[in-house]
Amino acid sequence: MDHFNYKGGALHAEDVALAEIARAVGTPVYVYSTATLTRHFNLFRQALDWTDHLVCFAVKANSNLAVLKLLGDLGAGMDVVSGGEYARARAAGVPGERIVFSGVGKTREEMAQAIRGGIRQFNVESEPELAALSQVAQSLGATVPIAVRVNPDVDAKTHAKIATGKSENKFGIPIARAREVYAHAAALPGLQVVGIDMHIGSQLTDLEPFRQAYTRMADLCLALRADGHPIMRLDLGGGLGIPYRRDNAAPPLPIEYGQVVRETVGDLGCEIEIEPGRNIAGNAGVLLASVIWTKQGEGRDFLIVDAAMNDLIRPAMYDAHHDILPVRERAPGTDPAPVDVVGPVCETGDTFARGVPLPRLEDGELVAFRSAGAYGAVMASEYNSRPLVPEVLVAGDRFDVIRPRPTIEEMLARDRIPDWLT
Ligand SMILES: *Cc1c(COP(=O)(O)O)cnc(C)c1O
């Protein structure tokens, strides 16, 4: 459930008409709902309320400071994968003891930044990283809590580009080598083994891969404890999928996911950490765009909108589907005609949807791409010198720009022409 609905024939974000935002800010623009972000975060909290837990929002899904502040103020922890994301979480007021640092290629500078600033735990993904972290921690006179990311070799049954838990993926250490790697970690100065970490992929629409992975984690937890490691935390990663098509069977709910967690690792007495990103932010955002015009092609019509692959790359990158809604409501079944919805960027890949039934849309009319709150604005670029897409946050009947659209002058001003060219 989200808070983007028609009221009086016009699509709203909570109590704000999207047309009003388009008038004030222009298009394209991302619009997020405070109520939906809050609701989704609370659903995860409730799903784990049977145990000690921390819901760490995966910052990479949506890293706008206002979104992080909103979630952080609700009590969320943060899962970060770079020094930049760590800085964002801190700037949003999240204390270091609620931040976990994931990622296969942390630099020594990033390690030092997080150790100095305060960190709940590093999720370590390799033996070279263990050695480096041990050195950095020692050089700062610190002892840092770590979990080792274990690759359970399960098939997450999701898009290949977002599957991370198979042995051929770059993530984590093979579960078969876990005991050896933990023994190595425990022997290194500056590190304190506190837990086990996993993250098997994103947009999972089936609970079975989670069940398999977490069952393996439970076995590993017992084996590591038998080896003398004080495993007190289990970080289960993120990955629970969202409905990208309103009319499709919905993926499992957070409460059902929480049940699987309870059944698999619930009796180990560990604090549970989870790292949902998409499920909190995905359906809490839309990308609002204007129709430029419709172009008649050979045997197909192209609806050309002012948003493009540089603003929302998921269709081009993951073959992702986003429902597209006219902001002005139509009576159901008003002569929908299949169109290809495309942006202005000079790439054939700049196609949002092929052959989708949409009512006839006037030039200048607004459309909303649903489910765009996660992996949307964070992946935006200025390709084709299109200024970076702005973001707006709605709360009830108010809205605020949380990232303004740069002017073309501001965009150009970032480049430098060397002396020898002038
Ligand atoms: C991407 C990622 C997440 C979040 O995944 P979602 O599918 O958005 O929930 C969590 N943890 C790690 C380590 C990640 O890389």
Side-chain angles (χ1 to χ4, degrees):
M1 201 201 96
D2 61 46
H3 297 79
F4 297 93
N5 294 298
Y6 289 105
K7 293 178 192 174
L11 192 59
H12 280 61
E14 303 189 25
D15 297 327
V16 179
L18 290 176
E20 190 188 334
I21 295 174
R23 262 194 307 278
V25 187
T27 56
V29 56
Y30 278 94
V31 180
Y32 309 129
S33 157
T34 301
T36 310
L37 287 164
T38 303
R39 176 172 188 277
H40 291 170
F41 172 71
N42 283 331
L43 287 177
F44 278 105
R45 243 195 331 212
Q46 283 156 21
L48 296 178
D49 67 2
W50 47 271
T51 188
D52 243 12
H53 65 269
L54 184 65
V55 178
C56 295
F57 177 62
V59 172
K60 77 176 194 275
N62 186 321
S63 57
N64 188 287
L65 286 183
V67 170
L68 302 185
K69 175 87 166 84
L70 172 76
L71 294 170
D73 286 356
L74 292 170
M78 299 283 152
D79 170 47
V80 304
V81 295
S82 71
E85 286 192 356
Y86 178 85
R88 283 183 176 275
R90 293 307 311 270
V94 180
E97 59 266 29
R98 279 199 263 138
I99 302 176
V100 301
F101 202 141
S102 303
V104 291
K106 306 172 191 81
T107 64
R108 286 173 168 77
E109 290 72 29
E110 288 173 319
M111 293 172 179
Q113 174 193 359
I115 295 171
R116 287 204 186 92
I119 190 80
R120 174 183 178 82
Q121 131 202 343
F122 282 91
N123 290 333
V124 178
E125 300 222 14
S126 66
E127 290 177 287
E129 183 185 342
L130 276 179
L133 186 60
S134 166
Q135 283 169 5
V136 175
Q138 280 182 90
S139 73
L140 296 172
T143 300
V144 296
I146 64 152
V148 175
R149 178 164 174 181
V150 171
N151 185 324
D153 193 24
V154 300
D155 182 354
K157 302 196 190 99
T158 185
H159 191 282
K161 284 188 185 161
I162 48 176
T164 57
K166 283 289 284 173
S167 55
E168 70 258 30
N169 301 133
K170 70 179 176 182
F171 299 99
I173 56 131
I175 194 159
R177 292 202 46 235
R179 292 175 69 179
E180 183 191 330
V181 173
Y182 270 88
H184 178 198
L188 286 171
L191 305 184
Q192 181 201 0
V193 171
V194 297
I196 312 172
D197 172 50
M198 272 185 191
H199 170 72
I200 60 171
S202 197
Q203 186 52 18
L204 273 72
T205 53
D206 180 356
L207 291 174
E208 266 329 287
F210 287 121
R211 188 183 297 279
Q212 273 178 33
Y214 300 163
T215 302
R216 287 176 197 178
M217 186 187 248
D219 293 343
L220 178 62
C221 177
L222 296 174
L224 292 176
R225 281 179 175 167
D227 290 346
H229 304 289
I231 304 296
M232 306 168 318
R233 283 184 196 159
L234 300 177
D235 184 335
L236 306 177
L240 188 61
I242 62 169
Y244 277 100
R245 292 174 195 265
R246 249 189 179 176
D247 47 0
N248 262 27
L253 301 170
I255 193 80
E256 298 167 302
Y257 170 81
Q259 253 337 95
V260 169
V261 173
R262 188 171 196 167
E263 286 160 21
T264 49
V265 297
D267 57 7
L268 294 165
C270 284
E271 181 177 7
I272 301 296
E273 297 163 338
I274 56 170
E275 303 168 346
R278 189 189 308 273
N279 208 292
I280 290 178
N283 278 323
V286 298
L287 173 62
L288 185 59
S290 302
V291 172
I292 298 182
W293 47 59
T294 302
K295 169 178 164 175
Q296 281 175 356
E298 192 99 51
R300 60 179 64 221
D301 287 350
F302 297 97
L303 184 75
I304 304 178
V305 297
D306 67 356
M309 64 189 291
N310 70 298
D311 306 306
L312 176 64
I313 205 172
R314 298 192 63 261
M317 188 142 125
Y318 310 117
D319 310 307
H321 167 91
H322 289 266
D323 279 347
I324 302 169
L325 298 181
V327 167
R328 180 165 66 77
E329 192 174 20
R330 305 301 208 281
T334 16
D335 54 30
V339 289
D340 287 11
V341 181
V342 302
V345 160
C346 299
E347 299 257 0
T348 301
D350 186 23
T351 298
F352 290 112
R354 280 178 225 284
V356 288
L358 279 177
R360 178 155 291 288
L361 289 156
E362 314 285 334
D363 299 357
E365 256 204 88
L366 297 169
V367 292
F369 293 83
R370 293 175 53 81
S371 314
Y375 307 107
V378 284
M379 289 191 177
S381 74
E382 291 178 340
Y383 186 41
N384 277 214
S385 285
R386 295 165 46 85
L388 201 61
V389 61
E391 297 169 276
V392 162
L393 183 63
V394 171
D397 61 2
R398 67 171 296 171
F399 70 90
D400 291 276
V401 175
I402 56 173
R403 175 181 289 171
R405 186 191 316 277
T407 63
I408 288 184
E409 292 68 34
E410 285 164 342
M411 182 170 72
L412 300 193
R414 294 204 313 265
D415 291 6
R416 296 287 179 272
I417 298 177
D419 290 347
W420 50 270
L421 277 175
T422 55

